[in-house]
Amino acid sequence: MALATARHILVETEEQCLALKQQISEGADFAELAKAHSQCPSGQQGGDLGQFGPGMMVPEFDKVVFSAEVGSIEGPVKTMFGYHLLQVTDRS
């Protein structure tokens, strides 16, 4: 079974998500932005979600995490929780 580790930032609007993605592309630290802006409790750990397998997250999340290039910043990804920026940190 494939396993992935990822981190994310969860916000309410697509606009917030795009603004944070722009900041990251300009050199801002993903973990620091997660701590400051993420509405998920994982934000306090820099958005780190740990390791998980397919089906352990919502389908929209899984689709990106198990197909995106490791290290890339993906999003906005809309789920029932809001809008996510995702970064796959490892996959095996």
Side-chain angles (χ1 to χ4, degrees):
M1 175 173 75
L3 293 173
T5 56
R7 57 188 183 168
H8 79 138
I9 301 172
L10 172 64
V11 294
E12 286 185 16
T13 69
E14 186 174 12
E15 292 75 21
Q16 289 173 298
C17 203
L18 290 168
L20 292 170
K21 188 174 186 177
Q22 181 65 35
Q23 289 179 46
I24 292 166
S25 74
E26 293 170 356
D29 184 73
F30 190 105
E32 292 303 315
L33 290 177
K35 288 176 185 176
H37 299 282
S38 187
Q39 297 175 344
C40 179
S42 69
Q44 295 312 303
Q45 289 78 46
D48 186 15
L49 295 168
Q51 188 176 61
F52 53 90
M56 295 176 71
M57 300 290 181
V58 293
E60 302 90 341
F61 212 89
D62 266 11
K63 181 178 179 183
V64 174
V65 168
F66 290 99
S67 65
E69 186 176 318
V70 172
S72 66
I73 305 296
E74 303 294 328
V77 176
K78 186 178 186 330
T79 70
M80 63 184 170
F81 302 106
Y83 292 86
H84 306 258
L85 279 184
L86 301 169
Q87 183 180 36
V88 180
T89 53
D90 189 42
R91 189 170 49 235
S92 59

